[in-house]
């Protein structure tokens, strides 16, 4: 072991001299089952959000996507959605805050493996910049990740600074973006991209 340790060279797949030996892009879909309590709530909300013809009431699909992403995300939609406000009043803030999110847990596990263990930079996209993104940022920062948040609520100067700060940051980190960052941003320093919710169109 002593003899081998003197000549052993540790390499990462992101190192410039070996990067070309790996495929340019690998796509992987992960399916995450909701925690039983989360699924029970999700199914109950889905049934309650049906109209008389069996379809979804206006706005329900958006709320359901947020709820699947993170139960507490609905709390941030109360001002813009009457349906979200009704949902929070019926269920209670405490329940939504305390429900575990298997999906965000799977994201954190994945980022621990690629950001902390491999020392890479990663981009995470969520469609919901004012709700799901907030919850993900809190959880990631509480686990010690350096997070740069990019969303439609930033001024142009703030948005530009966020991109520059991520690109120049010397350590592994996460660029957490709403769909407003899906076009016009070049982040060659990032090795991994995670689409937290599936895009509604291929073009998106």
């Amino acid at each position: 072991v002593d003899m081998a340790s003197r000549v052993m060279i540790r390499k990462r797949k992101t190192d410039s001299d070996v990067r070309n030996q790996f495929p340019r892009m690998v796509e992987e879909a992960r399916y995450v089952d909701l925690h039983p309590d989360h699924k029970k709530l999700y199914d109950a909300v889905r049934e309650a959000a049906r109209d008389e013809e069996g379809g979804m009431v206006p706005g329900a699909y958006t709320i359901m996507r947020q709820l699947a992403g993170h139960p507490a995300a609905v709390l941030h939609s109360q001002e813009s959605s009457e349906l979200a406000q009704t949902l929070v009043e019926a269920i209670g803030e405490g329940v939504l805050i305390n429900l575990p999110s298997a999906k965000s847990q799977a994201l954190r596990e994945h980022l621990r493996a690629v950001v902390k263990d491999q020392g890479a930079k990663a981009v995470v996209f969520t469609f919901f910049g004012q709700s799901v993104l907030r919850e993900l940022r809190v959880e990631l920062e509480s686990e010690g990740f350096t997070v740069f948040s990019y969303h439609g609520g930033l001024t142009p100067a703030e948005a530009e600074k966020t991109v520059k700060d991520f690109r120049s940051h010397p350590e592994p980190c996460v660029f957490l973006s709403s769909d407003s960052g899906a076009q016009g941003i070049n982040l060659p320093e990032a090795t991994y991209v995670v689409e937290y919710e599936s895009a509604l169109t291929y073009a998106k």
Side-chain angles (χ1 to χ4, degrees), residues 8-152:
M8 191 179 301
I9 300 174
R10 295 191 63 165
K11 301 300 293 180
R12 294 186 301 187
K13 66 180 181 181
T14 54
D15 290 346
S16 59
D17 59 330
V18 296
R19 188 181 305 150
N20 292 335
Q21 298 176 26
F22 292 88
R24 290 186 59 81
M25 182 171 66
V26 176
E27 291 187 26
E28 176 186 346
R30 293 190 180 188
Y31 299 92
V32 180
D33 290 327
L34 297 180
H35 183 277
D37 292 338
H38 187 178
K39 186 177 187 316
K40 184 177 179 181
L41 171 63
Y42 182 87
D43 291 341
V45 172
R46 182 175 55 191
E47 288 306 311
R50 296 194 183 280
D51 59 22
E52 294 176 358
E53 288 79 35
M56 301 293 276
V57 299
Y61 185 67
T62 300
I63 294 297
M64 297 305 296
R65 290 189 78 200
Q66 290 179 64
L67 187 60
H70 200 293
V74 180
L75 297 171
H76 306 292
S77 299
Q78 294 181 86
E79 293 181 12
S80 59
S81 168
E82 186 176 321
L83 183 59
Q85 186 176 10
T86 302
L87 178 63
V88 172
E89 290 173 358
I91 297 170
E93 288 189 16
V95 173
L96 293 168
I97 290 171
N98 292 310
L99 269 179
S101 171
K103 192 171 180 179
S104 69
Q105 179 181 346
L107 173 69
R108 296 193 309 273
E109 290 171 358
H110 177 64
L111 293 178
R112 278 196 294 269
V114 299
V115 176
K116 290 191 174 181
D117 295 348
Q118 292 184 20
K121 290 186 176 184
V123 177
V124 178
F125 283 109
T126 173
F127 185 79
F128 304 103
Q130 302 305 316
S131 56
V132 174
L133 185 145
R134 290 184 184 186
E135 294 301 320
L136 295 180
R137 178 176 184 162
V138 168
E139 290 187 357
L140 291 173
E141 288 181 340
S142 70
E143 288 203 17
F145 287 96
T146 300
V147 179
F148 297 91
S149 292
Y150 187 100
H151 52 81

